[in-house]
């Protein structure tokens, strides 16, 4: 278990290839399947918890959200990492995971931050690939 400021934190996992949204999400072999599930669950994460998005054989297909992902967790530091595969234990090893926005229309950001509610979110080893017509991948608003 990892720590933030001396407190233990939990690492959650999404595996777009082999996961299942009915899983607990607390290990690479019990990962959630969809980014939407990971984002929904993140609103209940504790400060310092981490969401690891595991590399799959085809990220561009497996991580293509049907709707924009909204960051709405409040007063928490959440870490979102691209990571290795479930077979290597989901290690953060420099592997880049692609989130593909080709299913979104040009006016929908892939990730929307409400800066009035979000304390701090850190993305690492994530490539946001917007649709060719997209105006933006990540958007911040003040509510």
């Amino acid at each position: 278990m990892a720590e933030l400021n001396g407190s233990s934190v939990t690492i959650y996992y999404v595996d777009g290839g082999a996961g299942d949204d009915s899983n607990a999400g607390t290990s690479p072999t019990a990962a959630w399947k969809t980014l939407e599930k990971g984002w929904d669950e993140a609103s209940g994460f504790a400060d310092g918890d981490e969401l690891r998005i595991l590399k799959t054989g085809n990220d561009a297909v497996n991580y293509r959200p049907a709707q924009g992902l909204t960051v709405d967790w409040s007063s928490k530091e959440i870490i979102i990492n691209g990571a290795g595969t479930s077979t290597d234990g989901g290690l953060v090893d420099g592997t880049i995971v692609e989130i593909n926005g080709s299913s979104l229309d040009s006016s929908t950001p892939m990730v929307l931050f409400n800066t009035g509610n979000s304390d701090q979110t850190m993305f690492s080893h994530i490539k946001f690939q917007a649709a060719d017509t997209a105006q933006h991948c990540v958007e911040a608003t003040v509510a």
Side-chain angles (χ1 to χ4, degrees):
M1 177 141 324
E3 288 191 9
L4 173 72
N5 298 327
S7 298
S8 59
V9 296
T10 304
I11 300 171
Y12 297 92
Y13 299 85
V14 173
D15 184 337
D20 186 319
D21 283 346
S22 65
N23 286 343
T26 53
S27 75
T29 57
W32 297 313
K33 182 164 186 71
T34 63
L35 293 172
E36 290 88 347
K37 176 67 172 178
W39 248 255
D40 289 346
E41 294 295 330
S43 63
F45 285 7
D47 192 34
D49 284 355
E50 179 181 346
L51 180 63
R52 288 192 184 170
I53 303 170
L54 303 179
K55 185 75 176 167
T56 69
N58 191 346
D59 293 345
V61 170
N62 291 321
Y63 297 128
R64 183 180 295 163
Q67 61 191 28
L69 304 168
T70 301
V71 174
D72 62 0
W73 39 87
S74 181
S75 301
K76 298 176 196 169
E77 180 178 326
I78 304 293
I79 300 163
I80 301 175
N81 263 322
T85 65
S86 59
T87 56
D88 71 11
L91 298 175
V92 178
D93 59 1
T95 298
I96 304 296
V97 175
E98 178 182 322
I99 297 176
N100 186 299
S102 64
S103 60
L104 304 175
D105 65 48
S106 63
S107 64
T108 302
M110 292 171 65
V111 177
L112 175 63
F113 282 93
N114 179 344
T115 58
N117 290 336
S118 302
D119 185 28
Q120 183 176 5
T121 299
M122 181 181 81
F123 288 93
S124 176
H125 303 101
I126 302 287
K127 174 185 176 185
F128 294 99
Q129 182 67 43
D132 291 342
T133 59
Q135 297 174 13
H136 43 261
C137 289
V138 179
E139 178 178 303
T141 63
V142 178

